[in-house]
Amino acid sequence: MSLVSHLPRFRQARASLSELARREDWTRSEIDDWQLGKINRLWDSARINVPYYRKITTERGLPDRFDSMAHFVQSMPTLDKQCVRSNPLDFLSQQNNVVGSWHRTGGSSGIPMRVFWAKAAHLETLRTKYRLLQAWGIDLFDRSAFLWGHGGSIAPGLAGLKQRIRRPVEDYLRNRLRRSAYRLGENDLTEHLSRLKRFRPISLYGYSSAVGLLADHAKRHQWQLSSLKLVILSGEPAHRELVERVSTGLQCDVAIEYGSVECGVMATGDREGNLRVREDAVHLETVPNENGLYDVVVTVLNNPTFPLIRYRIEDLTSEPIRKGSDGFATLTTVCGRQNDALIAQSGRQVHSIAVKHVLEHYSQIRRFCAHQTELGDLRVTVETDTPDAVPFGNIQKKLSSMLEGYRVSIATVDQIPGNLAGKHRWVISDMINGKSHARHSGTNA
């Protein structure tokens, strides 16, 4: 076992897993009692120490505490994402000496957003990930692989250099192999599978669409990864058809993880194919909307330093949350970040997250959308009030390099019109959706 496993952080994580497992069998009344207690403690701190909640407590005459979960839902207004995005410091607790760090997310609409996680709360949400592995018979230090991006490593300047040095060291110590989801052409997929076969991971964690391509490639070329027991699909919607494709192509079990940077892990897949809400970490609601779907509304229970209470995360479900007499509630498939892949000059697919990871390091950029034409050129529209402060030449070079020479143009606007960037679609490729994709049969130069 790795020496890292003996660090206090991981010893404590391992010790907590039996308690996390026990909570999954709580009765509905036990869950309600737990959540009500958590929410009242969260609210007691938020209404005193957090500027936004201090303000709405006075303006709306909100109560000091809630008598029941129904009282909480009826009394507390929902919180729009734009409010948090525009004024993150209004949600930071003014209590002193909290150890933690800021995290950035592009969200489901391509709009960068900053959130603060206290260190203790961040470690708690990581333990939920470890519990998912344990539920499938996998230890948190078993060999694992990632098909993922890493925005920190392409950050400009010293910050990016530090991440490029730090990342491989951490992966080595944690017994992990990381493969880039930015490169998904035929030759790339073959190389990914070859490296996975040599590394012999027990689990694979990746973007849903990227793992789908890998599984299709494995099936087409009869690759077998005999060590692989579990694939975890995350970062994007994973419908039943995709789960079946991945399970067939990689010949192993498949679980879904539903989470976000600002809310942590919210739900995880079980062996019966259900998406179980981690009701010990979040209170999750599904609120009917005018389109016949349900908006996901989340209260994060374990991060009072940056409280998100009845937060509209801008994800949707087709059915309401289902609560039984015991056990955590279940969700149907969540509709979230649905974007096209981009196509490089060689025909290689480039995951949409690559665009976000290039742009997310510039706080002056509020929002973006990217549109690849049938000829391969990428047209990026950026919403910013300070275009002179953003090094667009460097951004163009990075994106053009990822696309192997296709031209990249950037236009700046004060506000992106709603028809350019929908709620769940901020990268669009006519090469994926149009006939021109047939000209690129998926081979690499």
Side-chain angles (χ1 to χ4, degrees):
M1 186 175 291
S2 169
L3 291 175
V4 177
S5 66
H6 298 289
L7 293 175
R9 164 186 167 181
F10 295 110
R11 291 205 309 269
Q12 292 164 8
R14 198 184 298 280
S16 72
L17 295 181
S18 59
E19 171 62 19
L20 293 181
R22 188 184 68 81
R23 294 174 186 174
E24 294 163 11
D25 294 325
W26 276 346
T27 64
R28 176 50 46 190
S29 61
E30 287 176 315
I31 293 170
D32 288 345
D33 288 346
W34 169 272
Q35 292 192 336
L36 183 61
K38 282 281 201 176
I39 285 169
N40 274 323
R41 287 191 291 275
L42 182 72
W43 180 237
D44 191 49
S45 173
R47 65 185 178 82
I48 296 170
N49 299 308
V50 179
Y52 172 82
Y53 294 110
R54 197 161 55 216
K55 178 181 178 183
I56 67 167
T57 296
T58 301
E59 291 178 346
R60 295 175 176 261
L62 297 176
D64 291 347
R65 62 181 291 105
F66 305 101
D67 300 328
S68 65
M69 293 305 298
H71 182 213
F72 165 67
V73 171
Q74 293 163 4
S75 304
M76 180 62 63
T78 58
L79 170 63
D80 288 339
K81 197 170 202 172
Q82 179 58 34
C83 187
V84 183
R85 181 185 297 120
S86 300
N87 304 288
L89 291 178
D90 284 351
F91 293 86
L92 183 64
S93 174
Q94 295 177 336
Q95 286 185 312
N96 296 325
N97 302 321
V98 175
V99 177
S101 59
W102 287 94
H103 299 251
R104 289 179 63 83
T105 170
S108 58
S109 55
I111 309 176
M113 176 172 162
R114 292 197 309 147
V115 297
F116 189 91
W117 276 93
K119 182 179 179 180
H122 180 61
L123 293 178
E124 191 172 333
T125 198
L126 287 178
R127 291 167 190 169
T128 303
K129 292 175 175 281
Y130 306 151
R131 168 57 195 154
L132 172 60
L133 291 171
Q134 184 194 53
W136 290 84
I138 298 171
D139 186 80
L140 67 95
F141 280 98
D142 282 342
R143 283 177 179 258
S144 62
F146 285 71
L147 186 56
W148 204 249
H150 194 269
S153 66
I154 56 176
L158 185 60
L161 177 61
K162 287 181 178 178
Q163 286 296 324
R164 288 190 290 275
I165 295 171
R166 177 180 176 177
R167 185 186 65 179
V169 173
E170 288 183 341
D171 287 343
Y172 173 77
L173 293 174
R174 291 290 305 275
N175 214 9
R176 297 186 300 212
L177 172 69
R178 190 182 300 267
R179 301 298 296 170
S180 174
Y182 303 152
R183 302 172 68 86
L184 298 170
E186 289 282 307
N187 288 354
D188 302 313
L189 294 170
T190 296
E191 176 63 17
H192 292 335
L193 288 167
S194 178
R195 289 292 304 278
L196 288 168
K197 192 174 182 67
R198 294 199 301 270
F199 186 71
R200 297 185 59 78
I202 305 300
S203 65
L204 171 65
Y205 182 97
Y207 296 120
S208 301
S209 61
V211 177
L213 290 173
L214 186 76
D216 292 342
H217 189 81
K219 181 180 179 181
R220 204 162 46 242
H221 297 281
Q222 299 182 336
W223 280 87
Q224 291 187 342
L225 303 177
S226 59
S227 66
L228 199 60
K229 293 182 179 179
L230 177 69
V231 170
I232 300 174
L233 303 178
S234 188
E236 301 167 307
H239 300 283
R240 186 174 299 276
E241 179 270 336
L242 176 60
V243 171
E244 292 174 353
R245 275 172 47 207
V246 171
S247 180
T248 300
L250 296 177
Q251 301 176 50
C252 65
D253 290 324
V254 179
I256 298 171
E257 177 193 88
Y258 172 47
S260 72
V261 170
E262 67 268 43
C263 296
V265 176
M266 292 178 279
T268 56
D270 64 17
R271 290 182 177 274
E272 287 71 47
N274 300 308
L275 193 57
R276 291 278 179 182
V277 179
R278 285 301 319 189
E279 292 191 276
D280 54 344
V282 297
H283 174 256
L284 191 147
E285 307 166 52
T286 47
V287 179
N289 63 30
E290 67 278 5
N291 299 317
L293 298 172
Y294 297 83
D295 294 321
V296 177
V297 175
V298 183
T299 299
V300 180
L301 301 177
N302 63 353
N303 191 23
T305 308
F306 196 91
L308 297 177
I309 302 175
R310 299 204 73 217
Y311 168 68
R312 290 184 175 269
I313 194 172
E314 297 185 352
D315 285 340
L316 304 169
T317 65
S318 57
E319 297 178 16
I321 190 172
R322 297 190 295 270
K323 298 181 179 181
S325 58
D326 52 41
F328 287 164
T330 61
L331 281 177
T332 58
T333 300
V334 177
C335 306
R337 298 157 284 279
Q338 298 175 337
N339 296 287
D340 291 337
L342 299 174
I343 302 296
Q345 287 242 29
S346 64
R348 164 190 291 134
Q349 292 198 34
V350 178
H351 198 281
S352 60
I353 202 72
V355 181
K356 169 180 136 18
H357 283 173
V358 170
L359 296 174
E360 69 181 356
H361 302 289
Y362 303 99
S363 59
Q364 303 89 346
I365 296 175
R366 291 194 303 270
R367 189 180 188 189
F368 74 89
C369 69
H371 181 190
Q372 186 175 37
T373 70
E374 288 192 1
L375 297 177
D377 296 340
L378 186 68
R379 300 172 181 174
V380 183
T381 303
V382 169
E383 185 178 291
T384 179
D385 293 327
T386 55
D388 293 339
V390 183
F392 288 116
N394 292 341
I395 293 173
Q396 286 174 296
K397 288 179 182 177
K398 286 184 179 180
L399 292 175
S400 182
S401 176
M402 287 179 174
L403 297 176
E404 301 170 349
Y406 275 137
R407 189 172 67 90
V408 175
S409 60
I410 301 177
T412 61
V413 295
D414 294 333
Q415 184 173 8
I416 292 179
N419 64 338
L420 281 184
K423 181 183 291 185
H424 301 292
R425 193 170 169 84
W426 39 266
V427 176
I428 301 168
S429 176
D430 293 340
M431 298 187 77
I432 286 286
N433 299 311
K435 295 179 181 178
S436 61
H437 182 46
R439 294 188 287 119
H440 300 276
S441 59
T443 59
N444 289 335

